[in-house]
Amino acid sequence: MSDIAERVKNIVVDHLGVEASKVTENASFIDDLGADSLDTVELVMAFEEEFGVEISDDAAEKILTVKDAIDYIQSQQG
Amino acid sequence: MRRVAVTGMGLVTPLGRGVKTNWERLIGGQSGIRTIERFDVSDLPCKIAGQIQFGDGSDGTLNLDDVVDSKERKKMDDFIIYALAAADEAIADSGWKPADDEDAEMTGVLIGSGIGGLPGIDDGSITIATKGPRRLSPFFIPSTLINLASGHVSIRYGFKGPNHAVVTACSTGAHAIGDAARMIALGDADVMVAGGTEGAVCRMGIAGFAAARALSTAYNETPTEASRPYDQGRDGFVMGEGAGIVVLEDLEHAKKRGAKIYAEVVGYGLSGDAYHITAPSEDGNGGFRSMRMALKRAGLNPEEIDYINAHGTSTPKGDEIEAGAVMRLFGAASNTVSMSSTKSSIGHLLGAAGAVEAIYSILSINHDIVPPTLNLRNPSESVQGLDLVPLEAKEKKVRAALSNSFGFGGTNASLVVKEFN
């Protein structure tokens, strides 16, 4: 697992208070991990802070799963 | 109009979590006022407050994990957490659980706060100034809004009746109980979870009240002596935090389900000073009229009130103005009534004060003990005709009690609670 993926998963576990085993790459924040719309806003802020990137609202709307987040951050840091 | 019973009570105060702990410590003459260690007070003129003691839940401490999961706590400021803790106790104590939708829709929540999420507003302002608006949490607004205390309680318990909040500064808690009692009396709800909560002990809160010259500053080295209502050495109030929540219920509804009934809410009076934004009217007319209205609504004469839980904040002006109003209204009965300020033990809980003090008043009826006014060694001359229960609690038959709350803006509320028989 890449370093980015590991850090993304840690943030998700920490912010949503879910078991690490549930945070699979295909897990949807809202459908699988119990997040609501405000939780997802906060998650995106946490990703921005952790990785020093800026995620626009348009981009944030498309980040629905753990994998979406990892892919987006990788593309920004690539 | 329907009669209103109190069937559940919950407290979180600087004296501890829980009604039982509070009462034991209150009548034991303990103080919950301590040096502030949670944030920097080096540049503040007041360095003390009545603060909730956190811990593992033993010895009256508040275990936050018992109230709300740590992940959820970031979505709510302190005042909401205190309200949930006190509501949990009051609702469990009442034994009330809606059996169906109809029950749920006749159960409402009316919890107020004087200021709401001031610590969060303080932090949020720093975040915007130092990191920019994009770093402000999406939970900033819902964690600081005053009516979210009622919101969270209704969500947790599925209470779908009236969902309301009062914001009348230091009269909030009394107004919340009085207004909720009316909703029951008028048939808008059968059960109401009502009270006040406050969690404004933060740098901004202390600095703000200190700027208004409202706080005690002479007793930073001896915190338990700072709140001294009616005493010649008083120099301002001491901020406190916490929550008081009651379960109010239509009397027949309570009797039908065999609920334990602590007291009846029989009187409620409200008035405005129309005078000044922070100072009480010099002649005490506002407080006089709210007390008079509450007694009239209760159908009681002054001599039938055995205990007054005073607003008595320990400010130089307010205490004597209130005492003067009591002596005018009570006339000869002011020689027999006992009046104390429990703010001498816990400080001034602002929007929670009226609710916490209504509960202390009910407990005085239940136990036939009146709590003391701590630190009252040299009463001001103008109050010397009154029994202010100095230093120690005393046993006394209490048939009915009056609780006063007066707030900035010249808003006054008085409640009368009476033994149920």
Side-chain angles (χ1 to χ4, degrees):
Chain A
M1 196 188 292
S2 73
D3 172 55
I4 289 175
E6 187 65 24
R7 284 156 70 194
V8 164
K9 287 183 184 180
N10 286 340
I11 287 171
V12 173
V13 167
D14 187 44
H15 281 262
L16 298 184
V18 290
E19 298 283 332
S21 61
K22 289 190 178 164
V23 187
T24 60
E25 294 218 343
N26 290 322
S28 154
F29 298 127
I30 289 178
D31 296 335
D32 301 320
L33 301 176
D36 64 20
S37 59
L38 295 181
D39 291 320
T40 60
V41 173
E42 197 190 39
L43 266 184
V44 167
M45 286 172 61
F47 296 146
E48 288 182 328
E49 189 120 10
E50 171 76 14
F51 297 101
V53 295
E54 189 159 316
I55 304 175
S56 70
D57 286 352
D58 287 345
E61 274 177 26
K62 299 189 184 81
I63 299 177
L64 304 175
T65 66
V66 176
K67 185 171 188 303
D68 291 341
I70 296 167
D71 290 349
Y72 183 84
I73 292 158
Q74 267 168 347
S75 74
Q76 294 298 299
Q77 295 199 326
Chain B
M1 294 213 291
R2 306 197 296 180
R3 291 166 67 182
V4 180
V6 178
T7 58
M9 302 189 285
L11 286 172
V12 180
T13 79
L15 283 178
R17 181 181 191 182
V19 169
K20 189 168 178 287
T21 299
N22 263 269
W23 186 244
E24 285 168 1
R25 292 178 178 179
L26 184 71
I27 61 169
Q30 293 189 34
S31 170
I33 295 166
R34 297 173 181 83
T35 303
I36 296 169
E37 290 173 346
R38 233 186 256 176
F39 52 88
D40 180 22
V41 291
S42 58
D43 54 357
L44 295 171
C46 172
K47 305 177 194 302
I48 58 175
Q51 300 155 91
I52 302 299
Q53 299 297 298
F54 302 107
D56 62 5
S58 63
D59 198 29
T61 57
L62 178 65
N63 183 348
L64 291 170
D65 292 330
D66 285 348
V67 185
V68 195
D69 176 69
S70 65
K71 306 292 174 191
E72 293 295 310
R73 290 208 290 273
K74 67 188 176 199
K75 302 178 183 178
M76 52 184 80
D77 214 317
D78 296 347
F79 77 105
I80 297 175
I81 297 172
Y82 302 155
L84 280 167
D88 284 349
E89 182 186 8
I91 293 164
D93 183 36
S94 76
W96 171 241
K97 200 171 187 301
D100 52 28
D101 278 352
E102 200 181 336
D103 278 353
E105 289 167 14
M106 287 302 280
T107 304
V109 188
L110 203 175
I111 299 168
S113 177
I115 312 188
L118 200 61
I121 292 171
D122 193 356
D123 288 345
S125 152
I126 293 168
T127 299
I128 287 203
T130 58
K131 297 180 180 171
R134 283 181 57 84
R135 297 256 70 86
L136 194 61
S137 163
F139 299 111
F140 171 69
I141 294 293
S143 71
T144 57
L145 282 183
I146 281 178
N147 71 297
L148 265 282
S150 289
H152 275 286
V153 170
S154 77
I155 292 164
R156 175 171 289 189
Y157 287 97
F159 297 156
K160 297 179 176 175
N163 197 267
H164 202 357
V166 171
V167 183
T168 49
C170 307
S171 297
T172 297
H175 275 139
I177 291 175
D179 289 352
R182 294 219 160 145
M183 289 182 186
I184 291 171
L186 293 170
D188 295 324
D190 290 332
V191 180
M192 289 293 295
V193 177
T197 185
E198 204 73 78
V201 177
C202 60
R203 271 178 69 76
M204 190 175 267
I206 297 281
F209 280 106
R213 302 295 185 267
L215 298 182
S216 169
T217 56
Y219 298 90
N220 286 325
E221 303 306 316
T222 49
T224 61
E225 294 174 23
S227 187
R228 42 193 321 120
Y230 315 108
D231 189 81
Q232 290 177 21
R234 69 190 186 277
D235 74 326
F237 76 77
V238 178
M239 272 179 81
E241 59 179 355
I245 305 283
V246 292
V247 175
L248 301 177
E249 193 164 345
D250 164 39
L251 180 63
E252 296 308 317
H253 187 275
K255 281 185 355 195
K256 199 181 294 177
R257 69 182 185 90
K260 147 177 96 256
I261 295 171
Y262 291 104
E264 226 183 307
V265 179
V266 290
Y268 177 36
L270 317 79
S271 72
D273 281 356
Y275 175 70
H276 188 265
I277 51 173
T278 60
S281 61
E282 300 281 344
D283 61 3
N285 181 259
F288 180 88
R289 286 182 292 111
S290 76
M291 286 188 275
R292 186 178 62 187
M293 186 191 292
L295 287 179
K296 185 181 173 195
R297 176 68 63 188
L300 293 175
N301 295 315
E303 59 269 23
E304 293 171 281
I305 301 289
D306 296 306
Y307 173 60
I308 301 172
N309 188 297
H311 184 57
T313 58
S314 190
T315 56
K317 273 188 170 183
D319 292 4
E320 289 183 61
I321 291 175
E322 181 187 15
V326 166
M327 286 189 269
R328 280 200 304 288
L329 180 65
F330 276 61
S334 56
N335 296 321
T336 52
V337 72
S338 296
M339 175 164 103
S340 65
S341 170
T342 47
K343 289 184 179 79
S344 59
S345 297
I346 59 174
H348 188 354
L349 270 59
L350 309 176
V356 168
E357 292 162 14
I359 292 173
Y360 288 163
S361 300
I362 292 166
L363 292 168
S364 77
I365 292 171
N366 295 158
H367 296 274
D368 287 324
I369 298 174
V370 292
T373 303
L374 302 185
N375 302 311
L376 179 52
R377 297 180 188 280
N378 299 299
S380 286
E381 202 171 319
S382 75
V383 302
Q384 287 182 2
L386 284 167
D387 171 24
L388 297 166
V389 202
L391 308 175
E392 284 181 13
K394 73 173 192 183
E395 290 188 19
K396 175 181 183 174
K397 173 65 190 171
V398 182
R399 299 160 297 171
L402 171 73
S403 182
N404 280 336
S405 296
F406 309 142
F408 278 6
T411 174
N412 312 298
S414 301
L415 290 170
V416 177
V417 287
K418 186 170 167 273
E419 68 182 347
F420 174 71
N421 41 33

